[in-house]
């Protein structure tokens, strides 16, 4: 028979919230309940009769609660198929059938997020619960499994609307969810123990959100993760795939400046087209927009400071997709939310993943995320002329910008402002020419500016071009067998050059 009626239930949950209406329905339907410890006490408070698992197993909970349900009298009732041979064995050993298994596992990930205490973490590795889930899911043709609180609503519907009658499709769907829960749980435990000695790709994210589409309308898209952990959405339409990719780039860039003076950045297709640091956030916005007020149309805006009304009024004059900031003054938020489709995000944390990966060919590549940020002490002067203090400040600013632009990239900066950039070019010379062209197009004077490169100069041509444009200082990683040619060119042009020893390719 495809239809099964629930007549008995085993309940073993860590958190009891959300269980009350289920207990009420089980009581109404006369379903026999078995339970353990704290769950048993909770159910009894709801006025329902409960048989202790210890009475079923004839063994008490032992080893500080590590062993409660691991017994043939429990697992026999779950795993038995509703066929004559199995029924005879249950009768022989006086084992009751268990038609419904409800579990809420020990909160391993929650514990991991709140403590480094190994003993406490290990105790939150659930053994009995995960075994109950797997057993009930395996026997889905006869048994209903509820593997987490997320499935309570589905169970409640089966109890209320069908009086405990379940179809095979119901049970199979719950079994699917059960193995989703168990595989995610085991992946979290493995990743806790894994120290990288056995390279293996294991990632599991339980939460997901279906997007309108992927990168293009003919592609399907899904976000796996919990955006609410990073942002409060204050207004606007649902985020798209491309929005999320751009937001990720914006957060990565602004994480470099989260503790700096007021800084604003404008991004388009993951690349910064404008960024500046100034004494006030309004001035930072104006300087960032001046970097390229054409590309800013439809862009992603991000700030490291609260958006006040004056800044909101200035921002409101252009069209943008997303605005991100740590906070918004009430009057600023009221103004910006008048345009209902504009997305406003209040960022809680400039979180950057320690590892990054992407699908490639018939597999996946994974690497450490580029979290290296060079500071003044890391700069090694390679030329006769050392950069002055103001130049060092601009060099560090430009180097942060270059790190977050697509390779090959060249950045021109002056007074903590991006004045020109070339990115995604197959030639470093072309990237420089693009940066110069953009700077001049938007009215900037390159004389006295600094230049940053994401990788070394194989030839002195970029230095020679920079010299003609009045560039006074250069930062680059170095590492070319012809580094000396670029150093000599700098000396001839009285340009200061520093090397970081760290390349920042971005593909």
């Amino acid at each position: 028979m495809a239809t099964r009626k629930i007549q008995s239930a085993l309940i073993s949950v860590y958190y009891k919230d959300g269980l009350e209406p289920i207990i009420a329905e089980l009581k109404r339907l006369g379903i026999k309940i078995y339970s353990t410890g704290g769950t048993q006490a909770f159910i009894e408070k709801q006025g329902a009769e409960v048989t202790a698992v210890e009475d079923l197993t004839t063994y008490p909970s032992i080893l500080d609660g590590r062993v409660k349900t691991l017994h043939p009298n429990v697992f026999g009732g779950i795993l038995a198929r509703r066929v004559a041979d199995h029924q005879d064995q249950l009768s022989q050993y006086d084992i009751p059938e268990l038609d419904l298994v409800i579990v809420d596992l020990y909160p391993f990930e929650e514990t991991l997020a709140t403590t480094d205490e190994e003993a406490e973490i290990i105790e939150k590795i659930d053994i009995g619960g995960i075994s109950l889930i797997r057993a009930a899911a395996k026997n889905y043709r006869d048994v209903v499994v509820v593997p987490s609180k997320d499935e309570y609503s589905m169970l409640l519907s089966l109890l209320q609307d069908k009086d405990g009658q379940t179809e095979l499709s119901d049970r199979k769907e719950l079994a699917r969810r059960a193995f989703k829960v168990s595989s995610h749980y085991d992946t979290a435990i493995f990743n806790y123990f894994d120290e990288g000695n056995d390279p293996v790709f294991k990632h599991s994210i339980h939460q997901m959100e279906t997007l309108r589409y992927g990168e293009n309308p003919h592609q399907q898209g899904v976000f796996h993760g919990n955006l609410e952990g990073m942002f409060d959405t204050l207004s606007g339409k649902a985020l798209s795939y491309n929005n999320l990719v751009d937001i990720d780039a914006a957060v990565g860039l602004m994480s470099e400046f989260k503790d700096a003076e007021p800084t604003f950045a404008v991004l388009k297709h993951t690349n910064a087209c404008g960024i500046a640091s100034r004494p006030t956030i309004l001035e930072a916005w104006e300087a960032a927009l001046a970097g390229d007020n054409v590309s800013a149309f439809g862009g992603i805006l991000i700030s490291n400071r609260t958006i006040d009304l004056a800044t909101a009024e200035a921002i409101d004059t252009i069209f943008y997709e997303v605005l991100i900031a740590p906070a918004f003054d009430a009057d600023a938020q009221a103004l910006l939310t008048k345009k209902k489709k504009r997305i406003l995000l209040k960022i809680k944390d400039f979180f950057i993943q320690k590892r990054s990966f992407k699908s490639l060919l018939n597999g996946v590549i994974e690497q450490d995320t580029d979290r290296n940020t060079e500071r003044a002490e890391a700069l090694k002067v390679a030329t006769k002329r050392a950069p002055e203090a103001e130049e060092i400040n601009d060099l560090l600013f430009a180097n942060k910008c270059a790190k977050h632009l697509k390779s090959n990239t060249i950045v021109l900066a002056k007074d903590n402002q991006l004045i020109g950039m070339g990115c995604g070019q197959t030639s470093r010379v072309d990237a420089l020419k693009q940066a110069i062209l953009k700077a001049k197009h938007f009215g900037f004077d390159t004389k006295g500016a600094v230049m940053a490169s994401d990788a070394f100069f194989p030839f002195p041509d970029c230095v020679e071009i920079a010299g003609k444009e009045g560039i006074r200082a250069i930062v680059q990683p170095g590492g070319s067998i012809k580094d000396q040619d670029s150093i000599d060119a700098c000396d001839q042009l009285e340009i200061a050059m520093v090397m970081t020893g760290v390349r920042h390719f971005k593909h």
Side-chain angles (χ1 to χ4, degrees), residues 119-139:
E120 187 176 348
I121 292 169
I122 296 303
E123 283 307 309
K124 289 300 186 291
I125 297 176
D126 204 316
I127 302 301
I130 204 77
S131 301
L132 291 171
I133 288 172
R134 290 177 63 85
K138 177 177 180 176
N139 203 23

mmCIF file with all atom_site columns, all heavy atoms in Angstrom, residues 119-139:
data_model
loop_
_atom_site.group_PDB
_atom_site.id
_atom_site.type_symbol
_atom_site.label_atom_id
_atom_site.label_alt_id
_atom_site.label_comp_id
_atom_site.label_asym_id
_atom_site.label_entity_id
_atom_site.label_seq_id
_atom_site.pdbx_PDB_ins_code
_atom_site.Cartn_x
_atom_site.Cartn_y
_atom_site.Cartn_z
_atom_site.occupancy
_atom_site.B_iso_or_equiv
_atom_site.pdbx_formal_charge
_atom_site.auth_seq_id
_atom_site.auth_comp_id
_atom_site.auth_asym_id
_atom_site.auth_atom_id
_atom_site.pdbx_PDB_model_num
ATOM 1   N N   . ALA A 1 119 ? 35.953 20.162 23.884 1.00 0.00 ? 119 ALA A N   1
ATOM 2   C CA  . ALA A 1 119 ? 35.078 19.202 24.560 1.00 0.00 ? 119 ALA A CA  1
ATOM 3   C C   . ALA A 1 119 ? 33.604 19.547 24.331 1.00 0.00 ? 119 ALA A C   1
ATOM 4   O O   . ALA A 1 119 ? 32.774 18.665 24.092 1.00 0.00 ? 119 ALA A O   1
ATOM 5   C CB  . ALA A 1 119 ? 35.391 19.167 26.058 1.00 0.00 ? 119 ALA A CB  1
ATOM 6   N N   . GLU A 1 120 ? 33.287 20.842 24.380 1.00 0.00 ? 120 GLU A N   1
ATOM 7   C CA  . GLU A 1 120 ? 31.910 21.269 24.179 1.00 0.00 ? 120 GLU A CA  1
ATOM 8   C C   . GLU A 1 120 ? 31.463 21.007 22.741 1.00 0.00 ? 120 GLU A C   1
ATOM 9   O O   . GLU A 1 120 ? 30.335 20.579 22.499 1.00 0.00 ? 120 GLU A O   1
ATOM 10  C CB  . GLU A 1 120 ? 31.775 22.760 24.504 1.00 0.00 ? 120 GLU A CB  1
ATOM 11  C CG  . GLU A 1 120 ? 30.349 23.253 24.481 1.00 0.00 ? 120 GLU A CG  1
ATOM 12  C CD  . GLU A 1 120 ? 30.224 24.704 24.910 1.00 0.00 ? 120 GLU A CD  1
ATOM 13  O OE1 . GLU A 1 120 ? 31.208 25.267 25.437 1.00 0.00 ? 120 GLU A OE1 1
ATOM 14  O OE2 . GLU A 1 120 ? 29.133 25.275 24.700 1.00 0.00 ? 120 GLU A OE2 1
ATOM 15  N N   . ILE A 1 121 ? 32.361 21.248 21.796 1.00 0.00 ? 121 ILE A N   1
ATOM 16  C CA  . ILE A 1 121 ? 32.041 21.019 20.379 1.00 0.00 ? 121 ILE A CA  1
ATOM 17  C C   . ILE A 1 121 ? 31.804 19.537 20.119 1.00 0.00 ? 121 ILE A C   1
ATOM 18  O O   . ILE A 1 121 ? 30.826 19.159 19.462 1.00 0.00 ? 121 ILE A O   1
ATOM 19  C CB  . ILE A 1 121 ? 33.176 21.560 19.484 1.00 0.00 ? 121 ILE A CB  1
ATOM 20  C CG1 . ILE A 1 121 ? 33.230 23.085 19.573 1.00 0.00 ? 121 ILE A CG1 1
ATOM 21  C CG2 . ILE A 1 121 ? 32.981 21.120 18.031 1.00 0.00 ? 121 ILE A CG2 1
ATOM 22  C CD1 . ILE A 1 121 ? 34.464 23.695 18.946 1.00 0.00 ? 121 ILE A CD1 1
ATOM 23  N N   . ILE A 1 122 ? 32.679 18.702 20.639 1.00 0.00 ? 122 ILE A N   1
ATOM 24  C CA  . ILE A 1 122 ? 32.574 17.256 20.404 1.00 0.00 ? 122 ILE A CA  1
ATOM 25  C C   . ILE A 1 122 ? 31.266 16.707 20.976 1.00 0.00 ? 122 ILE A C   1
ATOM 26  O O   . ILE A 1 122 ? 30.614 15.849 20.363 1.00 0.00 ? 122 ILE A O   1
ATOM 27  C CB  . ILE A 1 122 ? 33.784 16.513 21.012 1.00 0.00 ? 122 ILE A CB  1
ATOM 28  C CG1 . ILE A 1 122 ? 35.075 16.940 20.326 1.00 0.00 ? 122 ILE A CG1 1
ATOM 29  C CG2 . ILE A 1 122 ? 33.594 15.001 20.896 1.00 0.00 ? 122 ILE A CG2 1
ATOM 30  C CD1 . ILE A 1 122 ? 35.092 16.732 18.828 1.00 0.00 ? 122 ILE A CD1 1
ATOM 31  N N   . GLU A 1 123 ? 30.860 17.213 22.133 1.00 0.00 ? 123 GLU A N   1
ATOM 32  C CA  . GLU A 1 123 ? 29.615 16.725 22.743 1.00 0.00 ? 123 GLU A CA  1
ATOM 33  C C   . GLU A 1 123 ? 28.387 17.095 21.922 1.00 0.00 ? 123 GLU A C   1
ATOM 34  O O   . GLU A 1 123 ? 27.319 16.527 22.095 1.00 0.00 ? 123 GLU A O   1
ATOM 35  C CB  . GLU A 1 123 ? 29.479 17.254 24.172 1.00 0.00 ? 123 GLU A CB  1
ATOM 36  C CG  . GLU A 1 123 ? 30.357 16.518 25.172 1.00 0.00 ? 123 GLU A CG  1
ATOM 37  C CD  . GLU A 1 123 ? 30.161 15.012 25.142 1.00 0.00 ? 123 GLU A CD  1
ATOM 38  O OE1 . GLU A 1 123 ? 29.011 14.547 25.222 1.00 0.00 ? 123 GLU A OE1 1
ATOM 39  O OE2 . GLU A 1 123 ? 31.160 14.287 25.012 1.00 0.00 ? 123 GLU A OE2 1
ATOM 40  N N   . LYS A 1 124 ? 28.545 18.057 21.026 1.00 0.00 ? 124 LYS A N   1
ATOM 41  C CA  . LYS A 1 124 ? 27.411 18.448 20.188 1.00 0.00 ? 124 LYS A CA  1
ATOM 42  C C   . LYS A 1 124 ? 27.400 17.708 18.851 1.00 0.00 ? 124 LYS A C   1
ATOM 43  O O   . LYS A 1 124 ? 26.690 18.092 17.929 1.00 0.00 ? 124 LYS A O   1
ATOM 44  C CB  . LYS A 1 124 ? 27.423 19.965 19.961 1.00 0.00 ? 124 LYS A CB  1
ATOM 45  C CG  . LYS A 1 124 ? 27.062 20.762 21.205 1.00 0.00 ? 124 LYS A CG  1
ATOM 46  C CD  . LYS A 1 124 ? 25.665 20.406 21.706 1.00 0.00 ? 124 LYS A CD  1
ATOM 47  C CE  . LYS A 1 124 ? 25.233 21.280 22.859 1.00 0.00 ? 124 LYS A CE  1
ATOM 48  N NZ  . LYS A 1 124 ? 26.001 21.006 24.097 1.00 0.00 ? 124 LYS A NZ  1
ATOM 49  N N   . ILE A 1 125 ? 28.204 16.656 18.733 1.00 0.00 ? 125 ILE A N   1
ATOM 50  C CA  . ILE A 1 125 ? 28.102 15.764 17.576 1.00 0.00 ? 125 ILE A CA  1
ATOM 51  C C   . ILE A 1 125 ? 27.033 14.729 17.896 1.00 0.00 ? 125 ILE A C   1
ATOM 52  O O   . ILE A 1 125 ? 27.219 13.876 18.760 1.00 0.00 ? 125 ILE A O   1
ATOM 53  C CB  . ILE A 1 125 ? 29.450 15.083 17.271 1.00 0.00 ? 125 ILE A CB  1
ATOM 54  C CG1 . ILE A 1 125 ? 30.506 16.125 16.896 1.00 0.00 ? 125 ILE A CG1 1
ATOM 55  C CG2 . ILE A 1 125 ? 29.293 14.074 16.129 1.00 0.00 ? 125 ILE A CG2 1
ATOM 56  C CD1 . ILE A 1 125 ? 31.897 15.542 16.664 1.00 0.00 ? 125 ILE A CD1 1
ATOM 57  N N   . ASP A 1 126 ? 25.921 14.828 17.224 1.00 0.00 ? 126 ASP A N   1
ATOM 58  C CA  . ASP A 1 126 ? 24.787 13.946 17.498 1.00 0.00 ? 126 ASP A CA  1
ATOM 59  C C   . ASP A 1 126 ? 25.036 12.566 16.890 1.00 0.00 ? 126 ASP A C   1
ATOM 60  O O   . ASP A 1 126 ? 25.445 12.451 15.738 1.00 0.00 ? 126 ASP A O   1
ATOM 61  C CB  . ASP A 1 126 ? 23.512 14.548 16.893 1.00 0.00 ? 126 ASP A CB  1
ATOM 62  C CG  . ASP A 1 126 ? 22.252 14.054 17.589 1.00 0.00 ? 126 ASP A CG  1
ATOM 63  O OD1 . ASP A 1 126 ? 22.166 12.836 17.845 1.00 0.00 ? 126 ASP A OD1 1
ATOM 64  O OD2 . ASP A 1 126 ? 21.374 14.882 17.861 1.00 0.00 ? 126 ASP A OD2 1
ATOM 65  N N   . ILE A 1 127 ? 24.806 11.533 17.675 1.00 0.00 ? 127 ILE A N   1
ATOM 66  C CA  . ILE A 1 127 ? 24.980 10.149 17.210 1.00 0.00 ? 127 ILE A CA  1
ATOM 67  C C   . ILE A 1 127 ? 23.622 9.466  17.073 1.00 0.00 ? 127 ILE A C   1
ATOM 68  O O   . ILE A 1 127 ? 23.240 8.992  15.998 1.00 0.00 ? 127 ILE A O   1
ATOM 69  C CB  . ILE A 1 127 ? 25.877 9.343  18.180 1.00 0.00 ? 127 ILE A CB  1
ATOM 70  C CG1 . ILE A 1 127 ? 27.247 10.012 18.329 1.00 0.00 ? 127 ILE A CG1 1
ATOM 71  C CG2 . ILE A 1 127 ? 26.031 7.909  17.664 1.00 0.00 ? 127 ILE A CG2 1
ATOM 72  C CD1 . ILE A 1 127 ? 28.027 10.171 17.039 1.00 0.00 ? 127 ILE A CD1 1
ATOM 73  N N   . GLY A 1 128 ? 22.864 9.446  18.165 1.00 0.00 ? 128 GLY A N   1
ATOM 74  C CA  . GLY A 1 128 ? 21.567 8.793  18.123 1.00 0.00 ? 128 GLY A CA  1
ATOM 75  C C   . GLY A 1 128 ? 20.606 9.467  17.162 1.00 0.00 ? 128 GLY A C   1
ATOM 76  O O   . GLY A 1 128 ? 19.912 8.801  16.379 1.00 0.00 ? 128 GLY A O   1
ATOM 77  N N   . GLY A 1 129 ? 20.564 10.800 17.180 1.00 0.00 ? 129 GLY A N   1
ATOM 78  C CA  . GLY A 1 129 ? 19.642 11.533 16.330 1.00 0.00 ? 129 GLY A CA  1
ATOM 79  C C   . GLY A 1 129 ? 19.901 11.314 14.850 1.00 0.00 ? 129 GLY A C   1
ATOM 80  O O   . GLY A 1 129 ? 18.976 11.074 14.069 1.00 0.00 ? 129 GLY A O   1
ATOM 81  N N   . ILE A 1 130 ? 21.163 11.395 14.472 1.00 0.00 ? 130 ILE A N   1
ATOM 82  C CA  . ILE A 1 130 ? 21.495 11.224 13.052 1.00 0.00 ? 130 ILE A CA  1
ATOM 83  C C   . ILE A 1 130 ? 21.208 9.792  12.619 1.00 0.00 ? 130 ILE A C   1
ATOM 84  O O   . ILE A 1 130 ? 20.803 9.535  11.472 1.00 0.00 ? 130 ILE A O   1
ATOM 85  C CB  . ILE A 1 130 ? 22.970 11.613 12.783 1.00 0.00 ? 130 ILE A CB  1
ATOM 86  C CG1 . ILE A 1 130 ? 23.162 12.012 11.311 1.00 0.00 ? 130 ILE A CG1 1
ATOM 87  C CG2 . ILE A 1 130 ? 23.941 10.522 13.151 1.00 0.00 ? 130 ILE A CG2 1
ATOM 88  C CD1 . ILE A 1 130 ? 22.675 13.372 10.989 1.00 0.00 ? 130 ILE A CD1 1
ATOM 89  N N   . SER A 1 131 ? 21.385 8.852  13.517 1.00 0.00 ? 131 SER A N   1
ATOM 90  C CA  . SER A 1 131 ? 21.074 7.446  13.201 1.00 0.00 ? 131 SER A CA  1
ATOM 91  C C   . SER A 1 131 ? 19.575 7.239  13.018 1.00 0.00 ? 131 SER A C   1
ATOM 92  O O   . SER A 1 131 ? 19.138 6.502  12.122 1.00 0.00 ? 131 SER A O   1
ATOM 93  C CB  . SER A 1 131 ? 21.598 6.528  14.316 1.00 0.00 ? 131 SER A CB  1
ATOM 94  O OG  . SER A 1 131 ? 22.998 6.682  14.474 1.00 0.00 ? 131 SER A OG  1
ATOM 95  N N   . LEU A 1 132 ? 18.785 7.889  13.863 1.00 0.00 ? 132 LEU A N   1
ATOM 96  C CA  . LEU A 1 132 ? 17.329 7.805  13.729 1.00 0.00 ? 132 LEU A CA  1
ATOM 97  C C   . LEU A 1 132 ? 16.878 8.369  12.381 1.00 0.00 ? 132 LEU A C   1
ATOM 98  O O   . LEU A 1 132 ? 16.022 7.787  11.707 1.00 0.00 ? 132 LEU A O   1
ATOM 99  C CB  . LEU A 1 132 ? 16.655 8.566  14.862 1.00 0.00 ? 132 LEU A CB  1
ATOM 100 C CG  . LEU A 1 132 ? 16.771 7.980  16.272 1.00 0.00 ? 132 LEU A CG  1
ATOM 101 C CD1 . LEU A 1 132 ? 16.239 8.968  17.303 1.00 0.00 ? 132 LEU A CD1 1
ATOM 102 C CD2 . LEU A 1 132 ? 16.032 6.646  16.378 1.00 0.00 ? 132 LEU A CD2 1
ATOM 103 N N   . ILE A 1 133 ? 17.465 9.501  12.003 1.00 0.00 ? 133 ILE A N   1
ATOM 104 C CA  . ILE A 1 133 ? 17.093 10.136 10.731 1.00 0.00 ? 133 ILE A CA  1
ATOM 105 C C   . ILE A 1 133 ? 17.400 9.215  9.556  1.00 0.00 ? 133 ILE A C   1
ATOM 106 O O   . ILE A 1 133 ? 16.560 8.993  8.674  1.00 0.00 ? 133 ILE A O   1
ATOM 107 C CB  . ILE A 1 133 ? 17.835 11.482 10.570 1.00 0.00 ? 133 ILE A CB  1
ATOM 108 C CG1 . ILE A 1 133 ? 17.261 12.524 11.525 1.00 0.00 ? 133 ILE A CG1 1
ATOM 109 C CG2 . ILE A 1 133 ? 17.744 11.986 9.130  1.00 0.00 ? 133 ILE A CG2 1
ATOM 110 C CD1 . ILE A 1 133 ? 18.043 13.822 11.572 1.00 0.00 ? 133 ILE A CD1 1
ATOM 111 N N   . ARG A 1 134 ? 18.593 8.663  9.547  1.00 0.00 ? 134 ARG A N   1
ATOM 112 C CA  . ARG A 1 134 ? 19.007 7.819  8.418  1.00 0.00 ? 134 ARG A CA  1
ATOM 113 C C   . ARG A 1 134 ? 18.156 6.546  8.349  1.00 0.00 ? 134 ARG A C   1
ATOM 114 O O   . ARG A 1 134 ? 17.762 6.098  7.260  1.00 0.00 ? 134 ARG A O   1
ATOM 115 C CB  . ARG A 1 134 ? 20.488 7.469  8.535  1.00 0.00 ? 134 ARG A CB  1
ATOM 116 C CG  . ARG A 1 134 ? 21.416 8.656  8.305  1.00 0.00 ? 134 ARG A CG  1
ATOM 117 C CD  . ARG A 1 134 ? 22.879 8.262  8.503  1.00 0.00 ? 134 ARG A CD  1
ATOM 118 N NE  . ARG A 1 134 ? 23.276 7.257  7.527  1.00 0.00 ? 134 ARG A NE  1
ATOM 119 C CZ  . ARG A 1 134 ? 23.699 7.549  6.294  1.00 0.00 ? 134 ARG A CZ  1
ATOM 120 N NH1 . ARG A 1 134 ? 23.758 8.794  5.885  1.00 0.00 ? 134 ARG A NH1 1
ATOM 121 N NH2 . ARG A 1 134 ? 24.062 6.575  5.469  1.00 0.00 ? 134 ARG A NH2 1
ATOM 122 N N   . ALA A 1 135 ? 17.876 5.968  9.507  1.00 0.00 ? 135 ALA A N   1
ATOM 123 C CA  . ALA A 1 135 ? 17.083 4.737  9.528  1.00 0.00 ? 135 ALA A CA  1
ATOM 124 C C   . ALA A 1 135 ? 15.671 4.992  9.010  1.00 0.00 ? 135 ALA A C   1
ATOM 125 O O   . ALA A 1 135 ? 15.150 4.252  8.155  1.00 0.00 ? 135 ALA A O   1
ATOM 126 C CB  . ALA A 1 135 ? 17.036 4.169  10.943 1.00 0.00 ? 135 ALA A CB  1
ATOM 127 N N   . ALA A 1 136 ? 15.049 6.053  9.499  1.00 0.00 ? 136 ALA A N   1
ATOM 128 C CA  . ALA A 1 136 ? 13.679 6.350  9.079  1.00 0.00 ? 136 ALA A CA  1
ATOM 129 C C   . ALA A 1 136 ? 13.621 6.729  7.603  1.00 0.00 ? 136 ALA A C   1
ATOM 130 O O   . ALA A 1 136 ? 12.679 6.355  6.891  1.00 0.00 ? 136 ALA A O   1
ATOM 131 C CB  . ALA A 1 136 ? 13.116 7.478  9.944  1.00 0.00 ? 136 ALA A CB  1
ATOM 132 N N   . ALA A 1 137 ? 14.627 7.472  7.139  1.00 0.00 ? 137 ALA A N   1
ATOM 133 C CA  . ALA A 1 137 ? 14.655 7.871  5.725  1.00 0.00 ? 137 ALA A CA  1
ATOM 134 C C   . ALA A 1 137 ? 14.866 6.661  4.824  1.00 0.00 ? 137 ALA A C   1
ATOM 135 O O   . ALA A 1 137 ? 14.259 6.562  3.746  1.00 0.00 ? 137 ALA A O   1
ATOM 136 C CB  . ALA A 1 137 ? 15.758 8.902  5.497  1.00 0.00 ? 137 ALA A CB  1
ATOM 137 N N   . LYS A 1 138 ? 15.700 5.742  5.259  1.00 0.00 ? 138 LYS A N   1
ATOM 138 C CA  . LYS A 1 138 ? 15.925 4.532  4.463  1.00 0.00 ? 138 LYS A CA  1
ATOM 139 C C   . LYS A 1 138 ? 14.623 3.761  4.292  1.00 0.00 ? 138 LYS A C   1
ATOM 140 O O   . LYS A 1 138 ? 14.334 3.199  3.216  1.00 0.00 ? 138 LYS A O   1
ATOM 141 C CB  . LYS A 1 138 ? 16.980 3.645  5.126  1.00 0.00 ? 138 LYS A CB  1
ATOM 142 C CG  . LYS A 1 138 ? 17.211 2.326  4.385  1.00 0.00 ? 138 LYS A CG  1
ATOM 143 C CD  . LYS A 1 138 ? 18.310 1.501  5.020  1.00 0.00 ? 138 LYS A CD  1
ATOM 144 C CE  . LYS A 1 138 ? 18.497 0.192  4.252  1.00 0.00 ? 138 LYS A CE  1
ATOM 145 N NZ  . LYS A 1 138 ? 19.620 -0.615 4.775  1.00 0.00 ? 138 LYS A NZ  1
ATOM 146 N N   . ASN A 1 139 ? 13.811 3.756  5.315  1.00 0.00 ? 139 ASN A N   1
ATOM 147 C CA  . ASN A 1 139 ? 12.567 2.980  5.277  1.00 0.00 ? 139 ASN A CA  1
ATOM 148 C C   . ASN A 1 139 ? 11.365 3.872  4.944  1.00 0.00 ? 139 ASN A C   1
ATOM 149 O O   . ASN A 1 139 ? 10.270 3.695  5.476  1.00 0.00 ? 139 ASN A O   1
ATOM 150 C CB  . ASN A 1 139 ? 12.338 2.283  6.622  1.00 0.00 ? 139 ASN A CB  1
ATOM 151 C CG  . ASN A 1 139 ? 11.436 1.068  6.482  1.00 0.00 ? 139 ASN A CG  1
ATOM 152 O OD1 . ASN A 1 139 ? 11.306 0.485  5.408  1.00 0.00 ? 139 ASN A OD1 1
ATOM 153 N ND2 . ASN A 1 139 ? 10.797 0.675  7.582  1.00 0.00 ? 139 ASN A ND2 1
#
